[in-house]
Every structure is written in C-alpha cells, then in structure tokens.
mmCIF file of all heavy atoms in Angstrom:
data_model
loop_
_atom_site.group_PDB
_atom_site.id
_atom_site.type_symbol
_atom_site.label_atom_id
_atom_site.label_comp_id
_atom_site.label_asym_id
_atom_site.label_seq_id
_atom_site.Cartn_x
_atom_site.Cartn_y
_atom_site.Cartn_z
ATOM 1 N N MET J 179 -19.839 -292.551 38.572
ATOM 2 C CA MET J 179 -20.013 -291.220 38.034
ATOM 3 C C MET J 179 -21.339 -291.185 37.272
ATOM 4 O O MET J 179 -21.676 -292.114 36.560
ATOM 5 C CB MET J 179 -18.849 -290.876 37.125
ATOM 6 C CG MET J 179 -19.035 -289.549 36.475
ATOM 7 S SD MET J 179 -17.616 -288.699 35.834
ATOM 8 C CE MET J 179 -16.348 -289.046 36.951
ATOM 9 N N THR J 180 -22.042 -290.074 37.416
ATOM 10 C CA THR J 180 -23.344 -289.937 36.773
ATOM 11 C C THR J 180 -23.190 -289.649 35.285
ATOM 12 O O THR J 180 -22.146 -289.187 34.814
ATOM 13 C CB THR J 180 -24.149 -288.792 37.413
ATOM 14 O OG1 THR J 180 -23.474 -287.556 37.159
ATOM 15 C CG2 THR J 180 -24.313 -288.999 38.908
ATOM 16 N N LYS J 181 -24.249 -289.913 34.552
ATOM 17 C CA LYS J 181 -24.245 -289.633 33.107
ATOM 18 C C LYS J 181 -24.093 -288.133 32.850
ATOM 19 O O LYS J 181 -23.465 -287.737 31.881
ATOM 20 C CB LYS J 181 -25.513 -290.174 32.473
ATOM 21 C CG LYS J 181 -25.614 -291.672 32.539
ATOM 22 C CD LYS J 181 -26.160 -292.210 31.256
ATOM 23 C CE LYS J 181 -26.305 -293.708 31.365
ATOM 24 N NZ LYS J 181 -25.211 -294.404 30.762
ATOM 25 N N THR J 182 -24.661 -287.319 33.726
ATOM 26 C CA THR J 182 -24.535 -285.872 33.589
ATOM 27 C C THR J 182 -23.073 -285.454 33.652
ATOM 28 O O THR J 182 -22.594 -284.690 32.809
ATOM 29 C CB THR J 182 -25.326 -285.151 34.703
ATOM 30 O OG1 THR J 182 -26.697 -285.514 34.606
ATOM 31 C CG2 THR J 182 -25.175 -283.650 34.599
ATOM 32 N N ARG J 183 -22.361 -285.959 34.612
ATOM 33 C CA ARG J 183 -20.949 -285.605 34.767
ATOM 34 C C ARG J 183 -20.114 -286.144 33.621
ATOM 35 O O ARG J 183 -19.206 -285.470 33.146
ATOM 36 C CB ARG J 183 -20.425 -286.086 36.117
ATOM 37 C CG ARG J 183 -21.060 -285.312 37.264
ATOM 38 C CD ARG J 183 -20.497 -285.687 38.585
ATOM 39 N NE ARG J 183 -21.229 -285.031 39.656
ATOM 40 C CZ ARG J 183 -20.751 -284.846 40.861
ATOM 41 N NH1 ARG J 183 -19.558 -285.266 41.178
ATOM 42 N NH2 ARG J 183 -21.481 -284.237 41.774
ATOM 43 N N GLU J 184 -20.436 -287.345 33.158
ATOM 44 C CA GLU J 184 -19.722 -287.891 32.004
ATOM 45 C C GLU J 184 -19.922 -287.011 30.776
ATOM 46 O O GLU J 184 -18.980 -286.755 30.021
ATOM 47 C CB GLU J 184 -20.183 -289.317 31.718
ATOM 48 C CG GLU J 184 -19.706 -290.325 32.740
ATOM 49 C CD GLU J 184 -20.252 -291.714 32.503
ATOM 50 O OE1 GLU J 184 -20.983 -291.935 31.507
ATOM 51 O OE2 GLU J 184 -19.942 -292.600 33.316
ATOM 52 N N ALA J 185 -21.142 -286.520 30.589
ATOM 53 C CA ALA J 185 -21.443 -285.650 29.455
ATOM 54 C C ALA J 185 -20.674 -284.329 29.576
ATOM 55 O O ALA J 185 -20.185 -283.797 28.563
ATOM 56 C CB ALA J 185 -22.942 -285.387 29.372
ATOM 57 N N LEU J 186 -20.567 -283.807 30.782
ATOM 58 C CA LEU J 186 -19.832 -282.559 30.983
ATOM 59 C C LEU J 186 -18.338 -282.753 30.702
ATOM 60 O O LEU J 186 -17.698 -281.894 30.087
ATOM 61 C CB LEU J 186 -20.051 -282.039 32.396
ATOM 62 C CG LEU J 186 -21.469 -281.553 32.709
ATOM 63 C CD1 LEU J 186 -21.626 -281.282 34.196
ATOM 64 C CD2 LEU J 186 -21.809 -280.313 31.891
ATOM 65 N N ILE J 187 -17.796 -283.875 31.131
ATOM 66 C CA ILE J 187 -16.392 -284.167 30.845
ATOM 67 C C ILE J 187 -16.192 -284.310 29.339
ATOM 68 O O ILE J 187 -15.211 -283.790 28.784
ATOM 69 C CB ILE J 187 -15.939 -285.437 31.604
ATOM 70 C CG1 ILE J 187 -15.896 -285.156 33.105
ATOM 71 C CG2 ILE J 187 -14.573 -285.906 31.101
ATOM 72 C CD1 ILE J 187 -15.677 -286.379 33.966
ATOM 73 N N ASP J 188 -17.128 -284.963 28.671
ATOM 74 C CA ASP J 188 -17.043 -285.095 27.210
ATOM 75 C C ASP J 188 -17.046 -283.727 26.530
ATOM 76 O O ASP J 188 -16.343 -283.510 25.542
ATOM 77 C CB ASP J 188 -18.191 -285.943 26.670
ATOM 78 C CG ASP J 188 -18.041 -287.416 27.008
ATOM 79 O OD1 ASP J 188 -16.920 -287.841 27.379
ATOM 80 O OD2 ASP J 188 -19.054 -288.144 26.909
ATOM 81 N N GLU J 189 -17.832 -282.818 27.066
ATOM 82 C CA GLU J 189 -17.870 -281.465 26.508
ATOM 83 C C GLU J 189 -16.520 -280.754 26.668
ATOM 84 O O GLU J 189 -16.049 -280.072 25.760
ATOM 85 C CB GLU J 189 -18.975 -280.646 27.190
ATOM 86 C CG GLU J 189 -19.986 -280.141 26.205
ATOM 87 C CD GLU J 189 -21.103 -279.388 26.878
ATOM 88 O OE1 GLU J 189 -21.916 -280.039 27.564
ATOM 89 O OE2 GLU J 189 -21.152 -278.162 26.709
ATOM 90 N N MET J 190 -15.919 -280.926 27.824
ATOM 91 C CA MET J 190 -14.594 -280.340 28.049
ATOM 92 C C MET J 190 -13.567 -280.952 27.097
ATOM 93 O O MET J 190 -12.704 -280.250 26.569
ATOM 94 C CB MET J 190 -14.161 -280.527 29.505
ATOM 95 C CG MET J 190 -14.960 -279.731 30.509
ATOM 96 S SD MET J 190 -14.724 -277.954 30.360
ATOM 97 C CE MET J 190 -13.101 -277.771 31.083
ATOM 98 N N ILE J 191 -13.670 -282.248 26.867
ATOM 99 C CA ILE J 191 -12.759 -282.916 25.931
ATOM 100 C C ILE J 191 -12.935 -282.344 24.538
ATOM 101 O O ILE J 191 -11.944 -282.090 23.828
ATOM 102 C CB ILE J 191 -12.992 -284.449 25.946
ATOM 103 C CG1 ILE J 191 -12.532 -285.032 27.282
ATOM 104 C CG2 ILE J 191 -12.266 -285.119 24.771
ATOM 105 C CD1 ILE J 191 -12.937 -286.479 27.498
ATOM 106 N N ARG J 192 -14.172 -282.103 24.119
ATOM 107 C CA ARG J 192 -14.420 -281.515 22.792
ATOM 108 C C ARG J 192 -13.823 -280.112 22.677
ATOM 109 O O ARG J 192 -13.344 -279.721 21.621
ATOM 110 C CB ARG J 192 -15.918 -281.482 22.494
ATOM 111 C CG ARG J 192 -16.470 -282.817 22.039
ATOM 112 C CD ARG J 192 -17.879 -282.678 21.475
ATOM 113 N NE ARG J 192 -18.856 -282.328 22.502
ATOM 114 C CZ ARG J 192 -19.455 -283.197 23.308
ATOM 115 N NH1 ARG J 192 -19.160 -284.466 23.228
ATOM 116 N NH2 ARG J 192 -20.337 -282.798 24.186
ATOM 117 N N MET J 193 -13.862 -279.362 23.769
ATOM 118 C CA MET J 193 -13.335 -277.993 23.725
ATOM 119 C C MET J 193 -11.814 -277.948 23.763
ATOM 120 O O MET J 193 -11.197 -277.175 23.038
ATOM 121 C CB MET J 193 -13.883 -277.175 24.912
ATOM 122 C CG MET J 193 -15.281 -276.694 24.715
ATOM 123 S SD MET J 193 -15.785 -275.526 26.005
ATOM 124 C CE MET J 193 -16.084 -276.624 27.378
ATOM 125 N N TYR J 194 -11.208 -278.756 24.629
ATOM 126 C CA TYR J 194 -9.776 -278.623 24.898
ATOM 127 C C TYR J 194 -8.918 -279.815 24.478
ATOM 128 O O TYR J 194 -7.704 -279.689 24.396
ATOM 129 C CB TYR J 194 -9.543 -278.384 26.396
ATOM 130 C CG TYR J 194 -10.078 -277.070 26.872
ATOM 131 C CD1 TYR J 194 -11.198 -277.021 27.697
ATOM 132 C CD2 TYR J 194 -9.485 -275.869 26.510
ATOM 133 C CE1 TYR J 194 -11.702 -275.809 28.148
ATOM 134 C CE2 TYR J 194 -9.981 -274.663 26.955
ATOM 135 C CZ TYR J 194 -11.089 -274.640 27.768
ATOM 136 O OH TYR J 194 -11.583 -273.437 28.210
ATOM 137 N N GLY J 195 -9.545 -280.958 24.275
ATOM 138 C CA GLY J 195 -8.781 -282.159 23.988
ATOM 139 C C GLY J 195 -8.664 -283.024 25.235
ATOM 140 O O GLY J 195 -8.854 -282.564 26.358
ATOM 141 N N PHE J 196 -8.309 -284.286 24.995
ATOM 142 C CA PHE J 196 -8.312 -285.274 26.070
ATOM 143 C C PHE J 196 -7.236 -285.029 27.113
ATOM 144 O O PHE J 196 -7.456 -285.247 28.302
ATOM 145 C CB PHE J 196 -8.151 -286.667 25.459
ATOM 146 C CG PHE J 196 -8.351 -287.777 26.440
ATOM 147 C CD1 PHE J 196 -9.622 -288.099 26.878
ATOM 148 C CD2 PHE J 196 -7.282 -288.487 26.934
ATOM 149 C CE1 PHE J 196 -9.827 -289.125 27.794
ATOM 150 C CE2 PHE J 196 -7.467 -289.516 27.843
ATOM 151 C CZ PHE J 196 -8.747 -289.829 28.272
ATOM 152 N N GLU J 197 -6.080 -284.552 26.712
ATOM 153 C CA GLU J 197 -4.954 -284.429 27.643
ATOM 154 C C GLU J 197 -4.691 -282.999 28.110
ATOM 155 O O GLU J 197 -3.681 -282.742 28.760
ATOM 156 C CB GLU J 197 -3.702 -285.005 26.996
ATOM 157 C CG GLU J 197 -3.825 -286.493 26.753
ATOM 158 C CD GLU J 197 -2.561 -287.095 26.177
ATOM 159 O OE1 GLU J 197 -1.544 -286.388 26.102
ATOM 160 O OE2 GLU J 197 -2.608 -288.275 25.803
ATOM 161 N N ALA J 198 -5.582 -282.087 27.809
ATOM 162 C CA ALA J 198 -5.395 -280.699 28.223
ATOM 163 C C ALA J 198 -5.532 -280.569 29.738
ATOM 164 O O ALA J 198 -6.308 -281.304 30.380
ATOM 165 C CB ALA J 198 -6.412 -279.797 27.536
ATOM 166 N N GLU J 199 -4.780 -279.658 30.287
ATOM 167 C CA GLU J 199 -4.809 -279.442 31.743
ATOM 168 C C GLU J 199 -6.215 -279.111 32.226
ATOM 169 O O GLU J 199 -6.647 -279.590 33.279
ATOM 170 C CB GLU J 199 -3.846 -278.311 32.103
ATOM 171 C CG GLU J 199 -3.724 -278.066 33.579
ATOM 172 C CD GLU J 199 -2.722 -276.967 33.912
ATOM 173 O OE1 GLU J 199 -1.816 -276.719 33.093
ATOM 174 O OE2 GLU J 199 -2.869 -276.365 34.977
ATOM 175 N N GLU J 200 -6.934 -278.296 31.466
ATOM 176 C CA GLU J 200 -8.296 -277.908 31.851
ATOM 177 C C GLU J 200 -9.207 -279.128 31.944
ATOM 178 O O GLU J 200 -10.006 -279.251 32.869
ATOM 179 C CB GLU J 200 -8.881 -276.911 30.840
ATOM 180 C CG GLU J 200 -8.206 -275.571 30.803
ATOM 181 C CD GLU J 200 -7.006 -275.528 29.863
ATOM 182 O OE1 GLU J 200 -6.542 -276.600 29.412
ATOM 183 O OE2 GLU J 200 -6.535 -274.414 29.586
ATOM 184 N N THR J 201 -9.080 -280.025 30.979
ATOM 185 C CA THR J 201 -9.906 -281.233 30.958
ATOM 186 C C THR J 201 -9.571 -282.147 32.132
ATOM 187 O O THR J 201 -10.475 -282.648 32.810
ATOM 188 C CB THR J 201 -9.703 -281.992 29.631
ATOM 189 O OG1 THR J 201 -10.007 -281.120 28.550
ATOM 190 C CG2 THR J 201 -10.592 -283.214 29.561
ATOM 191 N N ILE J 202 -8.296 -282.348 32.358
ATOM 192 C CA ILE J 202 -7.868 -283.239 33.444
ATOM 193 C C ILE J 202 -8.316 -282.707 34.796
ATOM 194 O O ILE J 202 -8.863 -283.443 35.623
ATOM 195 C CB ILE J 202 -6.342 -283.433 33.399
ATOM 196 C CG1 ILE J 202 -5.948 -284.194 32.127
ATOM 197 C CG2 ILE J 202 -5.844 -284.158 34.656
ATOM 198 C CD1 ILE J 202 -4.472 -284.189 31.830
ATOM 199 N N GLU J 203 -8.124 -281.417 35.030
ATOM 200 C CA GLU J 203 -8.535 -280.830 36.311
ATOM 201 C C GLU J 203 -10.042 -280.892 36.491
ATOM 202 O O GLU J 203 -10.534 -281.157 37.587
ATOM 203 C CB GLU J 203 -8.037 -279.391 36.410
ATOM 204 C CG GLU J 203 -6.541 -279.300 36.607
ATOM 205 C CD GLU J 203 -6.038 -277.874 36.689
ATOM 206 O OE1 GLU J 203 -6.851 -276.929 36.614
ATOM 207 O OE2 GLU J 203 -4.819 -277.713 36.840
ATOM 208 N N PHE J 204 -10.782 -280.653 35.407
ATOM 209 C CA PHE J 204 -12.241 -280.719 35.499
ATOM 210 C C PHE J 204 -12.693 -282.139 35.814
ATOM 211 O O PHE J 204 -13.574 -282.344 36.657
ATOM 212 C CB PHE J 204 -12.894 -280.223 34.209
ATOM 213 C CG PHE J 204 -14.389 -280.235 34.281
ATOM 214 C CD1 PHE J 204 -15.071 -279.198 34.872
ATOM 215 C CD2 PHE J 204 -15.115 -281.307 33.776
ATOM 216 C CE1 PHE J 204 -16.456 -279.215 34.963
ATOM 217 C CE2 PHE J 204 -16.488 -281.346 33.861
ATOM 218 C CZ PHE J 204 -17.170 -280.295 34.456
ATOM 219 N N ALA J 205 -12.100 -283.132 35.155
ATOM 220 C CA ALA J 205 -12.465 -284.529 35.400
ATOM 221 C C ALA J 205 -12.155 -284.926 36.840
ATOM 222 O O ALA J 205 -12.965 -285.619 37.489
ATOM 223 C CB ALA J 205 -11.733 -285.440 34.423
ATOM 224 N N GLU J 206 -11.019 -284.489 37.356
ATOM 225 C CA GLU J 206 -10.681 -284.783 38.748
ATOM 226 C C GLU J 206 -11.683 -284.145 39.699
ATOM 227 O O GLU J 206 -12.090 -284.755 40.694
ATOM 228 C CB GLU J 206 -9.263 -284.303 39.060
ATOM 229 C CG GLU J 206 -8.187 -285.129 38.395
ATOM 230 C CD GLU J 206 -6.787 -284.548 38.556
ATOM 231 O OE1 GLU J 206 -6.655 -283.402 39.049
ATOM 232 O OE2 GLU J 206 -5.836 -285.244 38.179
ATOM 233 N N LEU J 207 -12.079 -282.917 39.403
ATOM 234 C CA LEU J 207 -13.072 -282.242 40.231
ATOM 235 C C LEU J 207 -14.411 -282.970 40.170
ATOM 236 O O LEU J 207 -15.050 -283.205 41.205
ATOM 237 C CB LEU J 207 -13.243 -280.787 39.767
ATOM 238 C CG LEU J 207 -14.256 -279.945 40.523
ATOM 239 C CD1 LEU J 207 -13.824 -279.782 41.975
ATOM 240 C CD2 LEU J 207 -14.407 -278.586 39.858
ATOM 241 N N ALA J 208 -14.840 -283.343 38.976
ATOM 242 C CA ALA J 208 -16.116 -284.042 38.811
ATOM 243 C C ALA J 208 -16.115 -285.375 39.557
ATOM 244 O O ALA J 208 -17.142 -285.777 40.107
ATOM 245 C CB ALA J 208 -16.405 -284.261 37.335
ATOM 246 N N GLU J 209 -14.987 -286.041 39.578
ATOM 247 C CA GLU J 209 -14.894 -287.325 40.277
ATOM 248 C C GLU J 209 -14.832 -287.160 41.793
ATOM 249 O O GLU J 209 -15.269 -288.038 42.531
ATOM 250 C CB GLU J 209 -13.671 -288.091 39.801
ATOM 251 C CG GLU J 209 -13.795 -288.591 38.385
ATOM 252 C CD GLU J 209 -12.520 -289.232 37.864
ATOM 253 O OE1 GLU J 209 -11.478 -289.171 38.557
ATOM 254 O OE2 GLU J 209 -12.563 -289.778 36.757
ATOM 255 N N SER J 210 -14.300 -286.049 42.258
ATOM 256 C CA SER J 210 -14.099 -285.886 43.693
ATOM 257 C C SER J 210 -15.301 -285.283 44.426
ATOM 258 O O SER J 210 -15.450 -285.503 45.628
ATOM 259 C CB SER J 210 -12.868 -285.018 43.958
ATOM 260 O OG SER J 210 -13.095 -283.684 43.538
ATOM 261 N N LEU J 211 -16.146 -284.542 43.725
ATOM 262 C CA LEU J 211 -17.301 -283.928 44.386
ATOM 263 C C LEU J 211 -18.364 -284.981 44.696
ATOM 264 O O LEU J 211 -18.610 -285.872 43.881
ATOM 265 C CB LEU J 211 -17.918 -282.849 43.495
ATOM 266 C CG LEU J 211 -17.120 -281.558 43.318
ATOM 267 C CD1 LEU J 211 -17.796 -280.654 42.302
ATOM 268 C CD2 LEU J 211 -16.975 -280.836 44.642
ATOM 269 N N PRO J 212 -18.994 -284.863 45.846
ATOM 270 C CA PRO J 212 -20.080 -285.796 46.172
ATOM 271 C C PRO J 212 -21.235 -285.656 45.175
ATOM 272 O O PRO J 212 -21.462 -284.577 44.615
ATOM 273 C CB PRO J 212 -20.533 -285.354 47.568
ATOM 274 C CG PRO J 212 -19.444 -284.507 48.105
ATOM 275 C CD PRO J 212 -18.735 -283.918 46.929
ATOM 276 N N ALA J 213 -21.935 -286.744 44.964
ATOM 277 C CA ALA J 213 -23.075 -286.728 44.047
ATOM 278 C C ALA J 213 -24.223 -285.922 44.653
ATOM 279 O O ALA J 213 -24.733 -286.257 45.723
ATOM 280 C CB ALA J 213 -23.526 -288.148 43.752
ATOM 281 N N SER J 214 -24.566 -284.835 43.995
ATOM 282 C CA SER J 214 -25.722 -284.033 44.403
ATOM 283 C C SER J 214 -26.109 -283.135 43.242
ATOM 284 O O SER J 214 -25.296 -282.836 42.368
ATOM 285 C CB SER J 214 -25.407 -283.177 45.638
ATOM 286 O OG SER J 214 -24.579 -282.086 45.297
ATOM 287 N N THR J 215 -27.340 -282.702 43.250
ATOM 288 C CA THR J 215 -27.797 -281.827 42.174
ATOM 289 C C THR J 215 -27.091 -280.475 42.221
ATOM 290 O O THR J 215 -26.844 -279.879 41.182
ATOM 291 C CB THR J 215 -29.322 -281.624 42.229
ATOM 292 O OG1 THR J 215 -29.686 -281.153 43.521
ATOM 293 C CG2 THR J 215 -30.060 -282.915 41.926
ATOM 294 N N LEU J 216 -26.748 -280.016 43.405
ATOM 295 C CA LEU J 216 -26.033 -278.746 43.532
ATOM 296 C C LEU J 216 -24.656 -278.838 42.884
ATOM 297 O O LEU J 216 -24.269 -277.968 42.108
ATOM 298 C CB LEU J 216 -25.892 -278.337 44.999
ATOM 299 C CG LEU J 216 -25.044 -277.074 45.246
ATOM 300 C CD1 LEU J 216 -25.668 -275.866 44.564
ATOM 301 C CD2 LEU J 216 -24.854 -276.839 46.716
ATOM 302 N N HIS J 217 -23.922 -279.897 43.174
ATOM 303 C CA HIS J 217 -22.594 -280.045 42.590
ATOM 304 C C HIS J 217 -22.682 -280.234 41.078
ATOM 305 O O HIS J 217 -21.848 -279.699 40.336
ATOM 306 C CB HIS J 217 -21.847 -281.210 43.243
ATOM 307 C CG HIS J 217 -21.430 -280.909 44.641
ATOM 308 N ND1 HIS J 217 -21.753 -281.744 45.680
ATOM 309 C CD2 HIS J 217 -20.742 -279.888 45.172
ATOM 310 C CE1 HIS J 217 -21.275 -281.226 46.804
ATOM 311 N NE2 HIS J 217 -20.655 -280.097 46.518
ATOM 312 N N ASP J 218 -23.687 -280.958 40.611
ATOM 313 C CA ASP J 218 -23.870 -281.113 39.166
ATOM 314 C C ASP J 218 -24.132 -279.758 38.516
ATOM 315 O O ASP J 218 -23.592 -279.450 37.458
ATOM 316 C CB ASP J 218 -25.022 -282.066 38.858
ATOM 317 C CG ASP J 218 -24.679 -283.518 39.166
ATOM 318 O OD1 ASP J 218 -23.484 -283.817 39.407
ATOM 319 O OD2 ASP J 218 -25.603 -284.348 39.163
ATOM 320 N N TYR J 219 -24.958 -278.950 39.168
ATOM 321 C CA TYR J 219 -25.250 -277.620 38.640
ATOM 322 C C TYR J 219 -23.981 -276.766 38.590
ATOM 323 O O TYR J 219 -23.724 -276.080 37.597
ATOM 324 C CB TYR J 219 -26.325 -276.934 39.489
ATOM 325 C CG TYR J 219 -26.572 -275.512 39.070
ATOM 326 C CD1 TYR J 219 -27.260 -275.229 37.897
ATOM 327 C CD2 TYR J 219 -26.106 -274.445 39.842
ATOM 328 C CE1 TYR J 219 -27.477 -273.917 37.494
ATOM 329 C CE2 TYR J 219 -26.319 -273.144 39.449
ATOM 330 C CZ TYR J 219 -27.005 -272.875 38.273
ATOM 331 O OH TYR J 219 -27.201 -271.578 37.871
ATOM 332 N N LEU J 220 -23.182 -276.806 39.636
ATOM 333 C CA LEU J 220 -21.947 -276.022 39.660
ATOM 334 C C LEU J 220 -20.986 -276.461 38.559
ATOM 335 O O LEU J 220 -20.331 -275.627 37.923
ATOM 336 C CB LEU J 220 -21.281 -276.125 41.031
ATOM 337 C CG LEU J 220 -22.048 -275.488 42.191
ATOM 338 C CD1 LEU J 220 -21.345 -275.784 43.507
ATOM 339 C CD2 LEU J 220 -22.193 -273.992 41.980
ATOM 340 N N LEU J 221 -20.914 -277.754 38.300
ATOM 341 C CA LEU J 221 -20.074 -278.250 37.214
ATOM 342 C C LEU J 221 -20.599 -277.782 35.861
ATOM 343 O O LEU J 221 -19.827 -277.421 34.969
ATOM 344 C CB LEU J 221 -19.988 -279.773 37.271
ATOM 345 C CG LEU J 221 -19.189 -280.343 38.442
ATOM 346 C CD1 LEU J 221 -19.421 -281.847 38.559
ATOM 347 C CD2 LEU J 221 -17.714 -280.028 38.318
ATOM 348 N N GLU J 222 -21.921 -277.757 35.709
ATOM 349 C CA GLU J 222 -22.514 -277.254 34.461
ATOM 350 C C GLU J 222 -22.175 -275.784 34.256
ATOM 351 O O GLU J 222 -21.856 -275.368 33.138
ATOM 352 C CB GLU J 222 -24.033 -277.439 34.485
ATOM 353 C CG GLU J 222 -24.474 -278.860 34.320
ATOM 354 C CD GLU J 222 -25.989 -279.020 34.413
ATOM 355 O OE1 GLU J 222 -26.713 -278.043 34.135
ATOM 356 O OE2 GLU J 222 -26.438 -280.126 34.759
ATOM 357 N N VAL J 223 -22.244 -274.994 35.309
ATOM 358 C CA VAL J 223 -21.900 -273.577 35.226
ATOM 359 C C VAL J 223 -20.437 -273.413 34.824
ATOM 360 O O VAL J 223 -20.103 -272.561 33.991
ATOM 361 C CB VAL J 223 -22.198 -272.850 36.561
ATOM 362 C CG1 VAL J 223 -21.612 -271.453 36.566
ATOM 363 C CG2 VAL J 223 -23.693 -272.806 36.817
ATOM 364 N N LEU J 224 -19.594 -274.223 35.382
ATOM 365 C CA LEU J 224 -18.170 -274.162 35.050
ATOM 366 C C LEU J 224 -17.933 -274.464 33.570
ATOM 367 O O LEU J 224 -17.170 -273.757 32.899
ATOM 368 C CB LEU J 224 -17.389 -275.136 35.940
ATOM 369 C CG LEU J 224 -15.878 -275.098 35.859
ATOM 370 C CD1 LEU J 224 -15.339 -273.701 36.150
ATOM 371 C CD2 LEU J 224 -15.288 -276.101 36.829
ATOM 372 N N VAL J 225 -18.597 -275.474 33.044
ATOM 373 C CA VAL J 225 -18.464 -275.793 31.618
ATOM 374 C C VAL J 225 -18.998 -274.636 30.769
ATOM 375 O O VAL J 225 -18.384 -274.251 29.771
ATOM 376 C CB VAL J 225 -19.186 -277.115 31.286
ATOM 377 C CG1 VAL J 225 -19.270 -277.332 29.776
ATOM 378 C CG2 VAL J 225 -18.466 -278.287 31.935
ATOM 379 N N ASP J 226 -20.127 -274.057 31.169
ATOM 380 C CA ASP J 226 -20.681 -272.913 30.429
ATOM 381 C C ASP J 226 -19.703 -271.743 30.415
ATOM 382 O O ASP J 226 -19.568 -271.060 29.394
ATOM 383 C CB ASP J 226 -22.015 -272.469 31.022
ATOM 384 C CG ASP J 226 -23.153 -273.400 30.659
ATOM 385 O OD1 ASP J 226 -22.989 -274.181 29.693
ATOM 386 O OD2 ASP J 226 -24.194 -273.350 31.344
ATOM 387 N N CYS J 227 -19.031 -271.505 31.514
ATOM 388 C CA CYS J 227 -18.034 -270.428 31.562
ATOM 389 C C CYS J 227 -16.907 -270.699 30.579
ATOM 390 O O CYS J 227 -16.446 -269.784 29.888
ATOM 391 C CB CYS J 227 -17.475 -270.279 32.976
ATOM 392 S SG CYS J 227 -18.622 -269.590 34.160
ATOM 393 N N HIS J 228 -16.479 -271.937 30.488
ATOM 394 C CA HIS J 228 -15.420 -272.284 29.527
ATOM 395 C C HIS J 228 -15.912 -272.097 28.093
ATOM 396 O O HIS J 228 -15.139 -271.684 27.232
ATOM 397 C CB HIS J 228 -14.953 -273.732 29.736
ATOM 398 C CG HIS J 228 -13.990 -273.884 30.859
ATOM 399 N ND1 HIS J 228 -12.627 -273.782 30.680
ATOM 400 C CD2 HIS J 228 -14.181 -274.119 32.179
ATOM 401 C CE1 HIS J 228 -12.027 -273.952 31.841
ATOM 402 N NE2 HIS J 228 -12.942 -274.152 32.765
ATOM 403 N N LYS J 229 -17.167 -272.365 27.844
ATOM 404 C CA LYS J 229 -17.731 -272.184 26.505
ATOM 405 C C LYS J 229 -17.720 -270.713 26.085
ATOM 406 O O LYS J 229 -17.422 -270.394 24.939
ATOM 407 C CB LYS J 229 -19.175 -272.680 26.457
ATOM 408 C CG LYS J 229 -19.342 -274.159 26.376
ATOM 409 C CD LYS J 229 -20.840 -274.435 26.260
ATOM 410 C CE LYS J 229 -21.156 -275.861 26.505
ATOM 411 N NZ LYS J 229 -22.607 -276.097 26.496
ATOM 412 N N HIS J 230 -18.067 -269.840 27.008
ATOM 413 C CA HIS J 230 -18.273 -268.440 26.673
ATOM 414 C C HIS J 230 -17.006 -267.598 26.779
ATOM 415 O O HIS J 230 -16.948 -266.500 26.230
ATOM 416 C CB HIS J 230 -19.371 -267.843 27.548
ATOM 417 C CG HIS J 230 -20.699 -268.478 27.313
ATOM 418 N ND1 HIS J 230 -21.311 -268.485 26.087
ATOM 419 C CD2 HIS J 230 -21.511 -269.173 28.141
ATOM 420 C CE1 HIS J 230 -22.464 -269.128 26.162
ATOM 421 N NE2 HIS J 230 -22.600 -269.556 27.401
ATOM 422 N N PHE J 231 -16.014 -268.075 27.485
ATOM 423 C CA PHE J 231 -14.811 -267.269 27.650
ATOM 424 C C PHE J 231 -13.647 -268.038 27.125
ATOM 425 O O PHE J 231 -12.652 -268.253 27.449
ATOM 426 C CB PHE J 231 -14.637 -266.855 29.106
ATOM 427 C CG PHE J 231 -15.776 -266.032 29.605
ATOM 428 C CD1 PHE J 231 -16.742 -266.581 30.439
ATOM 429 C CD2 PHE J 231 -15.921 -264.717 29.214
ATOM 430 C CE1 PHE J 231 -17.801 -265.819 30.882
ATOM 431 C CE2 PHE J 231 -16.983 -263.956 29.657
ATOM 432 C CZ PHE J 231 -17.931 -264.514 30.497
#
C-alpha cells in the first residue's frame, strides 16, 4: 500500500474511529484498487467528501 493511501486511511480513522464501518469499508476499497494515480485521486476525493459532509 502506498504512503498516500495510508495517509488517507489515517484521515478516515481520525474522522470516524478505527472500527467504524466507514473506515473499514474505505480501507478495504483502498487495498483492493490497483495502484494508479487515478485511483489515488478518487480516494482523495472520497475522503474530501467525508470531510465536508
């Protein structure tokens, strides 16, 4: 897993907690997507949406 994805998962943990459904699903998604800048960007957008809503 890339450092970018680890940082995004850490951000989700800070928002929702380690065992929250949102965090677990996000971590599973981050682990399952192929490594690419597009997928990293989409994960960043998803975290931003959670921040703002």
Side-chain angles (χ1 to χ4, degrees):
M179 176 159 323
T180 65
K181 295 220 182 261
T182 300
R183 292 184 186 201
E184 288 176 2
L186 292 170
I187 291 171
D188 288 343
E189 239 178 290
M190 292 293 285
I191 291 170
R192 281 192 292 276
M193 281 189 284
Y194 294 109
F196 189 74
E197 295 183 8
E199 184 178 336
E200 293 87 347
T201 303
I202 294 168
E203 288 179 1
F204 182 83
E206 289 173 351
L207 179 64
E209 290 174 353
S210 68
L211 289 174
S214 74
T215 55
L216 175 61
H217 289 127
D218 288 348
Y219 175 74
L220 294 174
L221 290 168
E222 287 177 25
V223 170
L224 187 56
V225 170
D226 284 342
C227 289
H228 280 270
K229 282 183 194 175
H230 296 301
F231 299 104

